[in-house]
Amino acid sequence: MELMGESSILVLGGALQRRVHGLAGAFFKSPELKARVTADMRSRLAAAMDAWRATAATGAGAAVRVQDEAKLIVFEILVRALIGLEQGQEMNYLRQQFHIFIAGLISLPIKLPGTQLYRSLKAKKRMTSLIQNIIQEKRRRIFEGKDLCAVSRDLIDVLMSNGSDELSLTDELISDNMIDFMIPAEDSVPVLITLAIKYLSECPLALQQLEEENMELKRQKSDVGETLEWTDYMSLTFTQHVITETLRIGNIISGIMRKAVRDVEVKGQGDVVIPKGWCVLVYFRSVHLDANIYDDPYAFNPWRWKERDMAAATANSGSGFTPFGGGQRLCPGLDLARLQTSIFLHHLVTNFTWVAQGDVVVNFPTVRLKRGMPIKVTPKT
């Protein structure tokens, strides 16, 4: 909580939390942002894949660490959407500081020089300074009448233009939340992409069906000379089943912490009461891998979502599927996470074949692949 700051959406409560969550959710779900993210993803993937082809042309195949590649691509795209920062020195500096910051999220709470928490707090301060400079420059341009465009180009614009006297969104609140929203770009989305490729590599039948679905879409679009839109990627039914199953079995976010603001009767029955003030860890993994809810829960089986109600995959609290949380604190970027993963998988399977070199999932302190999921890719002819 100290690293996040008192203004963080993860710490805020009441009307202010609902305001920030609502504004961020509407921004992340907007068709305009999805179209921009799709174009950015295609552009960045094309550049990365050109480099893979050039390496593969030497005859040995190109070795790619999926986790590292996904982090590079997703981080820059999301940061651009959040604060309008383009590729360059400042982006590289921000990424460097963010790596130091995020390492302290799960660390010993000792704030002395040389400790991880101390280093992370210093990195947070440097990131906050950079972001607040961007906010102040935006405010200056608006004050001088140089930036009166009605279109919100990034999330800072949205939060700056939607404050009110009752619920003022300060520069500190905006900068704190920009840093919070960068966490999925470093952790959640790249790990989701990486795990999907790992599970597909271990399940040839699923990989074959996903490849056929994506190749068919590519052919349809090529025949009429159209570029894929964000809606096309999201329309890939089996690809969405693969992503849903990866979320279930991968448990990228293993749990969330909540504080009881009053005495809570579990399931409305008085025999189990969580006292006011207690902290609760809601452990998603125990639900997602429960044999009473899922047949053969430890098996990667995307076909299970054909039979199940896909509405259950929208993280509603009673569904037994909650990788994005639920209720008032449902992750506002869930659609964007699915979209970015769909785009990455589409362009990988339609342009390359690959051989996985073997890796293992590490679950503590956060979920990741121990070696970054190395694969050897070969361009399709």
Side-chain angles (χ1 to χ4, degrees):
M1 288 179 68
E2 186 171 4
L3 268 174
M4 291 299 185
E6 293 179 1
S7 302
S8 164
I9 194 172
L10 301 175
V11 179
L12 288 175
L16 190 54
Q17 184 273 336
R18 289 193 295 274
R19 181 70 171 157
V20 175
H21 188 279
L23 290 170
F27 175 73
F28 287 131
K29 290 173 185 171
S30 69
E32 295 79 14
L33 178 67
K34 289 176 182 176
R36 182 146 50 95
V37 165
T38 298
D40 286 350
M41 279 285 288
R42 272 203 308 263
S43 173
R44 289 301 317 277
L45 277 168
M49 289 180 177
D50 283 345
W52 302 353
R53 286 189 189 92
T55 305
T58 61
V64 174
R65 290 190 186 276
V66 177
Q67 194 167 262
D68 296 344
E69 293 283 344
K71 282 186 179 186
L72 278 172
I73 293 168
V74 173
F75 186 84
E76 291 192 358
I77 290 169
L78 188 55
V79 166
R80 182 172 182 244
L82 291 172
I83 65 175
L85 200 62
E86 302 289 347
Q87 284 180 273
Q89 283 188 343
E90 282 190 318
M91 178 70 82
N92 294 336
Y93 175 77
L94 184 66
R95 184 190 291 112
Q96 180 190 49
Q97 296 305 314
F98 189 81
H99 286 163
I100 300 170
F101 161 76
I102 203 169
L105 287 181
I106 301 178
S107 62
L108 292 173
I110 301 169
K111 193 169 58 176
L112 293 172
T115 64
Q116 183 59 63
L117 179 58
Y118 184 88
R119 289 193 296 270
S120 295
L121 285 166
K122 291 291 185 185
K124 167 81 180 282
K125 191 176 288 188
R126 290 189 283 267
M127 286 192 295
T128 299
S129 175
L130 187 154
I131 295 168
Q132 289 193 358
N133 286 340
I134 292 172
I135 296 170
Q136 288 157 15
E137 175 62 17
K138 284 176 178 286
R139 293 198 190 282
R140 184 186 65 78
R141 291 181 66 83
I142 292 170
F143 179 76
E144 293 176 357
K146 294 178 181 177
D147 199 357
L148 300 177
C149 179
V151 178
S152 295
R153 290 181 296 272
D154 51 51
L155 187 53
I156 287 180
D157 292 335
V158 171
L159 297 182
M160 280 175 53
S161 61
N162 283 277
S164 65
D165 293 337
E166 297 82 18
L167 296 174
S168 176
L169 304 184
T170 63
D171 289 1
E172 181 186 12
L173 182 147
I174 294 172
S175 61
D176 272 354
N177 283 287
M178 292 308 99
I179 294 170
D180 291 352
F181 286 129
M182 290 176 195
I183 293 173
E186 173 66 20
D187 248 14
S188 317
V189 179
V191 173
L192 173 57
I193 291 168
T194 308
L195 284 173
I197 291 169
K198 174 178 170 56
Y199 297 145
L200 286 167
S201 302
E202 296 168 352
C203 184
L205 197 59
L207 177 56
Q208 180 185 348
Q209 187 168 336
L210 182 133
E211 184 179 347
E212 288 171 356
E213 179 182 63
N214 281 269
M215 289 301 292
E216 178 59 26
L217 176 64
K218 185 178 182 179
R219 275 192 294 269
Q220 289 174 4
K221 287 293 182 176
S222 296
D223 289 346
V224 293
E226 292 180 356
T227 304
L228 271 70
E229 307 291 339
W230 69 267
T231 49
D232 295 316
Y233 294 105
M234 294 297 280
S235 72
L236 294 161
T237 305
F238 187 71
T239 302
Q240 292 307 313
H241 291 341
V242 166
I243 294 169
T244 301
E245 182 69 350
T246 301
L247 287 164
R248 183 194 69 81
I249 201 170
N251 291 289
I252 297 158
I253 306 298
S254 59
I256 53 173
M257 286 178 281
R258 294 287 183 264
K259 186 175 182 179
V261 295
R262 61 178 181 276
D263 289 353
V264 178
E265 294 183 359
V266 177
K267 295 185 178 179
Q269 299 169 4
D271 53 335
V272 181
V273 176
I274 300 170
K276 177 182 177 180
W278 277 35
C279 287
V280 179
L281 173 66
V282 183
Y283 194 53
F284 296 152
R285 189 181 298 273
S286 65
V287 178
H288 293 157
L289 300 177
D290 187 342
N292 294 317
I293 302 174
Y294 298 99
D295 293 334
D296 198 4
Y298 289 89
F300 177 72
N301 176 13
W303 295 276
R304 77 171 78 239
W305 296 98
K306 227 170 139 183
E307 289 82 43
R308 296 178 76 91
D309 178 7
M310 274 307 285
T314 59
N316 108 40
S317 57
S319 70
F321 182 76
T322 54
F324 296 105
Q328 292 181 351
R329 294 182 182 271
L330 177 67
C331 173
L334 63 93
D335 288 345
L336 216 53
R338 283 185 174 276
L339 175 60
Q340 290 178 298
T341 306
S342 300
I343 296 170
F344 197 106
L345 291 176
H346 173 83
H347 289 279
L348 179 63
V349 301
T350 57
N351 287 284
F352 294 90
T353 58
W354 74 85
V355 176
Q357 297 183 351
D359 206 345
V360 293
V361 179
V362 176
N363 290 302
F364 186 83
T366 57
V367 176
R368 66 195 185 283
L369 277 295
K370 189 173 183 179
R371 299 176 57 213
M373 190 58 203
I375 60 175
K376 188 163 282 190
V377 299
T378 304
K380 288 186 173 180
T381 53

